[in-house]
Amino acid sequence: MGMLCAVSFNRYGRLYYLDPGEFSPQVGDRVLVPTDDGPEVAECVWAAQWVSEDTDGFPKVAGLADDRDLRRDDLLRKRKAEAKVAAKKLIKSHELPMKVVAVDHVLEQGGAGGARTTIYFTAPHRVDFRSLVRDLGATLHCRVELRQLSARDSARVQGGIGSCGRDLCCATFLTDFEPVTIRMAKDQDLPLNPLRISGACGRLMCCLKYEHPLYARFAESAPSVGSRVTTPEGDGRVVAHSVPKDSVVVRLDADGSRCSCSRASVCGPRQAYDGRGAAESDGTGLA
Protein backbone atom coordinates (compact mmCIF):
# COMPACT_ATOMS: atom_id res chain seq x y z
CA MET A 1 0.00 0.00 0.00
CA GLY A 2 0.95 3.63 -0.44
CA MET A 3 -0.39 7.11 -0.96
CA LEU A 4 -1.21 8.75 -4.29
CA CYS A 5 -2.53 12.10 -5.44
CA ALA A 6 -3.67 13.21 -8.90
CA VAL A 7 -2.63 16.45 -10.59
CA SER A 8 -3.39 18.15 -13.89
CA PHE A 9 -1.43 20.76 -15.83
CA ASN A 10 -4.58 22.09 -17.53
CA ARG A 11 -8.16 22.34 -16.38
CA TYR A 12 -10.06 19.19 -17.40
CA GLY A 13 -6.81 17.81 -18.82
CA ARG A 14 -5.08 14.48 -18.39
CA LEU A 15 -4.57 13.30 -14.83
CA TYR A 16 -1.11 12.36 -13.60
CA TYR A 17 -0.70 10.29 -10.46
CA LEU A 18 2.14 11.08 -8.05
CA ASP A 19 3.46 9.84 -4.75
CA PRO A 20 2.99 12.80 -2.36
CA GLY A 21 5.97 11.70 -0.28
CA GLU A 22 6.33 13.95 2.76
CA PHE A 23 3.73 16.44 1.49
CA SER A 24 -0.06 16.40 1.91
CA PRO A 25 -1.49 18.35 -1.05
CA GLN A 26 -5.20 19.14 -0.97
CA VAL A 27 -7.57 19.76 -3.87
CA GLY A 28 -6.71 23.11 -5.45
CA ASP A 29 -3.13 23.24 -4.17
CA ARG A 30 -0.36 23.95 -6.66
CA VAL A 31 2.43 21.38 -6.56
CA LEU A 32 5.73 20.89 -8.36
CA VAL A 33 5.89 17.92 -10.71
CA PRO A 34 9.30 16.61 -11.83
CA THR A 35 9.76 16.60 -15.63
CA ASP A 36 12.66 16.23 -18.04
CA ASP A 37 12.91 20.02 -18.23
CA GLY A 38 12.75 20.59 -14.50
CA PRO A 39 9.86 20.87 -12.04
CA GLU A 40 6.62 22.32 -13.41
CA VAL A 41 3.54 23.64 -11.61
CA ALA A 42 0.36 21.56 -11.66
CA GLU A 43 -2.93 21.69 -9.77
CA CYS A 44 -3.90 18.95 -7.35
CA VAL A 45 -7.35 17.61 -8.32
CA TRP A 46 -7.35 14.55 -6.08
CA ALA A 47 -6.03 14.89 -2.54
CA ALA A 48 -3.43 12.45 -1.30
CA GLN A 49 -5.00 9.26 0.04
CA TRP A 50 -4.13 5.68 0.72
CA VAL A 51 -4.50 3.18 -2.14
CA SER A 52 -4.14 -0.59 -2.28
CA GLU A 53 -1.78 -0.54 -5.30
CA ASP A 54 2.01 -0.57 -5.08
CA THR A 55 3.23 3.04 -5.45
CA ASP A 56 6.96 2.40 -5.81
CA GLY A 57 7.02 3.18 -9.55
CA PHE A 58 5.20 6.52 -9.35
CA PRO A 59 7.14 9.82 -9.47
CA LYS A 60 7.15 11.85 -6.27
CA VAL A 61 5.88 15.37 -5.71
CA ALA A 62 8.86 17.74 -5.78
CA GLY A 63 7.21 20.15 -3.35
CA LEU A 64 4.48 22.72 -2.96
CA ALA A 65 4.65 25.67 -5.35
CA ASP A 66 5.56 29.02 -3.76
CA ASP A 67 5.10 32.55 -5.13
CA ARG A 68 8.29 32.30 -7.18
CA ASP A 69 7.11 29.09 -8.83
CA LEU A 70 3.70 30.61 -9.58
CA ARG A 71 5.29 33.69 -11.19
CA ARG A 72 7.47 31.41 -13.29
CA ASP A 73 4.42 29.41 -14.34
CA ASP A 74 2.57 32.60 -15.33
CA LEU A 75 5.59 33.69 -17.40
CA LEU A 76 5.71 30.28 -19.04
CA ARG A 77 2.05 30.46 -20.04
CA LYS A 78 2.59 33.98 -21.39
CA ARG A 79 5.52 32.81 -23.55
CA LYS A 80 3.42 29.94 -24.90
CA ALA A 81 0.60 32.30 -25.87
CA GLU A 82 3.02 34.69 -27.58
CA ALA A 83 4.66 31.85 -29.49
CA LYS A 84 1.29 30.52 -30.66
CA VAL A 85 0.20 33.93 -31.97
CA ALA A 86 3.54 34.49 -33.71
CA ALA A 87 3.47 31.01 -35.28
CA LYS A 88 -0.03 31.50 -36.68
CA LYS A 89 0.90 34.87 -38.22
CA LEU A 90 4.11 33.57 -39.83
CA ILE A 91 2.39 30.42 -41.14
CA LYS A 92 -0.21 32.62 -42.79
CA SER A 93 2.44 34.91 -44.30
CA HIS A 94 4.41 31.91 -45.62
CA GLU A 95 1.17 30.43 -47.00
CA LEU A 96 1.88 27.00 -45.54
CA PRO A 97 -0.90 24.36 -45.12
CA MET A 98 -0.28 23.98 -41.40
CA LYS A 99 -2.44 24.26 -38.29
CA VAL A 100 -0.90 25.00 -34.90
CA VAL A 101 -2.21 22.52 -32.33
CA ALA A 102 -0.15 23.23 -29.22
CA VAL A 103 2.96 25.03 -28.04
CA ASP A 104 5.49 23.98 -25.42
CA HIS A 105 8.10 26.35 -24.02
CA VAL A 106 11.10 25.85 -21.77
CA LEU A 107 12.45 28.91 -20.00
CA GLU A 108 16.14 29.63 -20.00
CA GLN A 109 17.87 27.98 -17.07
CA GLY A 110 21.41 28.51 -15.91
CA GLY A 111 23.67 25.69 -17.07
CA ALA A 112 20.74 23.79 -18.58
CA GLY A 113 20.67 25.37 -22.03
CA GLY A 114 18.77 28.33 -23.41
CA ALA A 115 15.07 28.84 -23.92
CA ARG A 116 13.35 26.48 -26.34
CA THR A 117 9.94 26.55 -28.00
CA THR A 118 8.35 23.46 -29.52
CA ILE A 119 5.40 24.01 -31.85
CA TYR A 120 3.12 21.06 -32.62
CA PHE A 121 1.14 21.22 -35.84
CA THR A 122 -0.95 19.18 -38.23
CA ALA A 123 -0.75 19.19 -42.02
CA PRO A 124 -2.23 17.08 -44.83
CA HIS A 125 1.26 16.19 -46.04
CA ARG A 126 4.93 16.86 -45.39
CA VAL A 127 5.75 20.56 -45.25
CA ASP A 128 9.01 22.37 -45.96
CA PHE A 129 9.13 24.73 -42.98
CA ARG A 130 12.84 25.61 -42.94
CA SER A 131 12.24 29.28 -43.68
CA LEU A 132 9.43 29.33 -41.12
CA VAL A 133 11.76 28.04 -38.40
CA ARG A 134 14.29 30.78 -39.14
CA ASP A 135 11.64 33.49 -38.93
CA LEU A 136 10.20 32.03 -35.75
CA GLY A 137 13.63 31.91 -34.14
CA ALA A 138 14.25 35.56 -35.04
CA THR A 139 10.82 36.58 -33.71
CA LEU A 140 10.80 34.58 -30.49
CA HIS A 141 14.56 34.95 -29.79
CA CYS A 142 14.99 31.31 -28.84
CA ARG A 143 15.55 27.89 -30.37
CA VAL A 144 12.46 26.66 -32.19
CA GLU A 145 11.42 23.10 -33.04
CA LEU A 146 8.42 22.09 -35.16
CA ARG A 147 6.82 18.67 -34.80
CA GLN A 148 4.04 17.29 -36.96
CA LEU A 149 1.32 15.32 -35.17
CA SER A 150 -0.94 12.57 -36.47
CA ALA A 151 -4.72 12.91 -36.33
CA ARG A 152 -4.97 10.85 -33.13
CA ASP A 153 -2.13 12.72 -31.39
CA SER A 154 -3.70 16.01 -32.39
CA ALA A 155 -7.01 15.06 -30.75
CA ARG A 156 -5.17 13.93 -27.63
CA VAL A 157 -3.31 17.24 -27.34
CA GLN A 158 -6.30 19.48 -28.06
CA GLY A 159 -8.89 17.49 -26.09
CA GLY A 160 -12.63 17.74 -26.63
CA ILE A 161 -15.95 16.03 -26.02
CA GLY A 162 -16.81 12.70 -27.63
CA SER A 163 -20.16 11.53 -28.95
CA CYS A 164 -20.78 9.95 -25.53
CA GLY A 165 -20.78 13.41 -23.95
CA ARG A 166 -17.59 12.83 -21.97
CA ASP A 167 -14.03 14.09 -22.38
CA LEU A 168 -12.03 12.24 -25.02
CA CYS A 169 -10.42 9.06 -23.70
CA CYS A 170 -7.10 9.89 -25.36
CA ALA A 171 -7.03 13.28 -23.60
CA THR A 172 -7.79 11.89 -20.14
CA PHE A 173 -6.57 8.36 -19.39
CA LEU A 174 -5.41 6.51 -22.51
CA THR A 175 -1.63 6.31 -22.71
CA ASP A 176 -1.21 4.14 -25.82
CA PHE A 177 -3.28 3.84 -28.98
CA GLU A 178 -4.33 0.25 -29.64
CA PRO A 179 -5.27 -0.86 -33.17
CA VAL A 180 -8.99 -0.54 -33.96
CA THR A 181 -10.53 -2.21 -37.01
CA ILE A 182 -13.83 -2.01 -38.86
CA ARG A 183 -14.36 -5.68 -37.96
CA MET A 184 -14.90 -4.60 -34.34
CA ALA A 185 -17.78 -2.36 -35.41
CA LYS A 186 -19.30 -5.18 -37.47
CA ASP A 187 -19.04 -7.65 -34.59
CA GLN A 188 -20.92 -5.19 -32.36
CA ASP A 189 -23.70 -4.67 -34.96
CA LEU A 190 -22.93 -0.97 -35.20
CA PRO A 191 -23.94 1.05 -38.27
CA LEU A 192 -20.98 1.33 -40.63
CA ASN A 193 -21.57 5.05 -41.03
CA PRO A 194 -18.24 6.89 -40.65
CA LEU A 195 -20.01 9.70 -38.80
CA ARG A 196 -21.31 7.23 -36.19
CA ILE A 197 -18.17 5.22 -35.51
CA SER A 198 -15.46 7.87 -35.93
CA GLY A 199 -14.03 9.95 -33.14
CA ALA A 200 -12.99 13.60 -33.01
CA CYS A 201 -9.78 12.68 -34.82
CA GLY A 202 -11.67 11.27 -37.81
CA ARG A 203 -10.39 7.75 -37.12
CA LEU A 204 -12.32 4.79 -35.70
CA MET A 205 -13.29 5.40 -32.07
CA CYS A 206 -10.89 3.89 -29.55
CA CYS A 207 -13.84 2.75 -27.42
CA LEU A 208 -14.71 0.13 -30.06
CA LYS A 209 -11.87 -1.83 -28.49
CA TYR A 210 -13.31 -1.79 -24.97
CA GLU A 211 -16.29 -4.14 -25.37
CA HIS A 212 -15.06 -6.16 -28.34
CA PRO A 213 -13.72 -9.08 -26.21
CA LEU A 214 -17.18 -9.38 -24.62
CA TYR A 215 -18.83 -9.61 -28.05
CA ALA A 216 -16.23 -12.11 -29.23
CA ARG A 217 -16.82 -14.41 -26.24
CA PHE A 218 -20.58 -14.11 -26.67
CA ALA A 219 -20.37 -15.09 -30.36
CA GLU A 220 -18.35 -18.22 -29.51
CA SER A 221 -21.14 -19.83 -27.46
CA ALA A 222 -24.42 -18.09 -28.35
CA PRO A 223 -26.66 -19.55 -31.06
CA SER A 224 -26.49 -17.54 -34.27
CA VAL A 225 -29.39 -15.46 -35.56
CA GLY A 226 -31.76 -17.71 -37.51
CA SER A 227 -30.93 -20.92 -35.64
CA ARG A 228 -33.62 -22.92 -33.86
CA VAL A 229 -33.46 -23.27 -30.09
CA THR A 230 -35.48 -24.60 -27.22
CA THR A 231 -36.31 -22.11 -24.49
CA PRO A 232 -38.18 -22.36 -21.18
CA GLU A 233 -41.11 -20.76 -23.04
CA GLY A 234 -41.02 -23.32 -25.87
CA ASP A 235 -39.32 -23.87 -29.24
CA GLY A 236 -38.49 -20.96 -31.47
CA ARG A 237 -35.98 -19.21 -33.69
CA VAL A 238 -33.29 -16.70 -32.66
CA VAL A 239 -34.02 -13.29 -34.17
CA ALA A 240 -31.58 -11.03 -32.28
CA HIS A 241 -28.75 -10.86 -29.76
CA SER A 242 -28.48 -8.65 -26.68
CA VAL A 243 -24.82 -8.89 -25.71
CA PRO A 244 -24.88 -6.40 -22.78
CA LYS A 245 -27.70 -8.47 -21.19
CA ASP A 246 -26.00 -11.77 -22.16
CA SER A 247 -29.28 -12.91 -23.74
CA VAL A 248 -30.90 -13.72 -27.07
CA VAL A 249 -34.31 -12.76 -28.46
CA VAL A 250 -36.36 -15.72 -29.66
CA ARG A 251 -39.56 -15.74 -31.74
CA LEU A 252 -41.70 -18.58 -30.39
CA ASP A 253 -43.33 -21.04 -32.80
CA ALA A 254 -46.52 -21.30 -30.73
CA ASP A 255 -47.87 -17.77 -31.11
CA GLY A 256 -45.12 -15.80 -32.85
CA SER A 257 -44.39 -13.72 -29.75
CA ARG A 258 -40.88 -12.78 -28.77
CA CYS A 259 -39.14 -13.54 -25.52
CA SER A 260 -35.71 -12.71 -24.12
CA CYS A 261 -33.78 -15.69 -22.82
CA SER A 262 -30.38 -15.86 -21.19
CA ARG A 263 -27.63 -17.21 -23.40
CA ALA A 264 -26.96 -20.07 -20.96
CA SER A 265 -30.56 -21.31 -21.18
CA VAL A 266 -30.54 -21.76 -24.96
CA CYS A 267 -26.96 -22.62 -25.86
CA GLY A 268 -26.26 -26.20 -26.94
CA PRO A 269 -23.81 -27.27 -24.21
CA ARG A 270 -26.15 -26.08 -21.43
CA GLN A 271 -29.16 -27.80 -22.94
CA ALA A 272 -27.18 -31.01 -23.39
CA TYR A 273 -26.02 -30.82 -19.78
CA ASP A 274 -29.55 -30.19 -18.49
CA GLY A 275 -30.92 -33.04 -20.64
CA ARG A 276 -28.28 -35.42 -19.37
CA GLY A 277 -29.02 -34.48 -15.77
CA ALA A 278 -32.75 -35.04 -16.26
CA ALA A 279 -32.12 -38.45 -17.89
CA GLU A 280 -29.89 -39.59 -15.03
CA SER A 281 -32.40 -38.46 -12.42
CA ASP A 282 -35.18 -40.68 -13.87
CA GLY A 283 -32.88 -43.67 -14.43
CA THR A 284 -32.79 -43.53 -18.24
CA GLY A 285 -29.24 -42.25 -18.53
CA LEU A 286 -26.50 -44.44 -19.99
CA ALA A 287 -23.77 -45.64 -17.66
Side-chain angles (χ1 to χ4, degrees):
M1 291 183 62
M3 295 192 73
L4 285 180
C5 65
V7 303
S8 177
F9 292 98
N10 300 295
R11 186 175 295 274
Y12 309 119
R14 181 188 296 272
L15 297 182
Y16 296 87
Y17 296 92
L18 305 174
D19 182 350
E22 60 187 40
F23 304 99
S24 300
Q26 301 299 315
V27 175
D29 290 347
R30 299 297 183 90
V31 300
L32 297 177
V33 180
T35 68
D36 295 337
D37 298 313
E40 294 190 14
V41 177
E43 181 180 356
C44 179
V45 296
W46 179 30
Q49 57 183 275
W50 290 100
V51 296
S52 57
E53 291 81 4
D54 184 12
T55 61
D56 291 340
F58 289 86
K60 290 188 176 182
V61 172
L64 299 178
D66 54 22
D67 292 339
R68 180 182 177 184
D69 296 320
L70 295 179
R71 288 194 298 270
R72 179 178 178 275
D73 185 60
D74 290 339
L75 177 60
L76 186 62
R77 294 180 184 275
K78 181 180 178 181
R79 293 287 185 268
K80 290 181 179 180
E82 292 174 349
K84 191 171 186 178
V85 172
K88 288 184 176 180
K89 289 183 177 179
L90 288 173
I91 287 174
K92 185 176 181 179
S93 64
H94 283 264
E95 298 182 352
L96 294 174
M98 301 166 57
K99 178 183 178 182
V100 177
V101 175
V103 176
D104 192 15
H105 184 78
V106 177
L107 296 175
E108 185 174 359
Q109 300 177 354
R116 181 180 75 253
T117 297
T118 304
I119 298 175
Y120 300 92
F121 70 94
T122 58
H125 48 75
R126 293 182 62 88
V127 180
D128 184 3
F129 48 71
R130 287 173 293 184
S131 60
L132 175 63
V133 171
R134 289 194 297 268
D135 290 347
L136 281 171
T139 302
L140 301 177
H141 305 290
C142 65
R143 184 160 60 92
V144 177
E145 296 179 2
L146 270 72
R147 297 182 182 178
Q148 185 170 354
L149 298 180
S150 65
R152 289 189 183 276
D153 286 328
S154 175
R156 176 170 59 182
V157 171
Q158 295 183 92
I161 303 298
S163 58
C164 58
R166 305 187 64 175
D167 293 323
L168 298 180
C169 298
C170 58
T172 51
F173 65 89
L174 279 184
T175 56
D176 296 315
F177 291 118
E178 298 186 10
V180 183
T181 64
I182 196 67
R183 165 51 66 187
M184 296 179 182
K186 292 181 179 179
D187 291 344
Q188 298 176 44
D189 293 328
L190 295 175
L192 301 183
N193 184 345
L195 297 178
R196 299 286 299 276
I197 59 177
S198 298
C201 60
R203 305 292 190 269
L204 292 174
M205 293 188 296
C206 293
C207 56
L208 293 176
K209 181 77 173 181
Y210 300 164
E211 296 182 357
H212 185 255
L214 174 65
Y215 280 81
R217 290 194 298 269
F218 183 91
E220 291 176 355
S221 57
S224 59
V225 174
S227 60
R228 297 193 57 80
V229 295
T230 299
T231 74
E233 304 291 336
D235 294 341
R237 189 180 301 275
V238 177
V239 294
H241 290 159
S242 180
V243 179
K245 295 181 179 180
D246 194 28
S247 63
V248 297
V249 179
V250 179
R251 180 188 293 116
L252 300 177
D253 295 338
D255 55 4
S257 63
R258 296 189 178 193
C259 67
S260 178
C261 305
S262 66
R263 174 178 54 87
S265 65
V266 298
C267 67
R270 175 60 180 269
Q271 291 180 348
Y273 175 81
D274 292 344
R276 179 181 178 184
E280 291 178 350
S281 63
D282 61 11
T284 59
L286 297 177

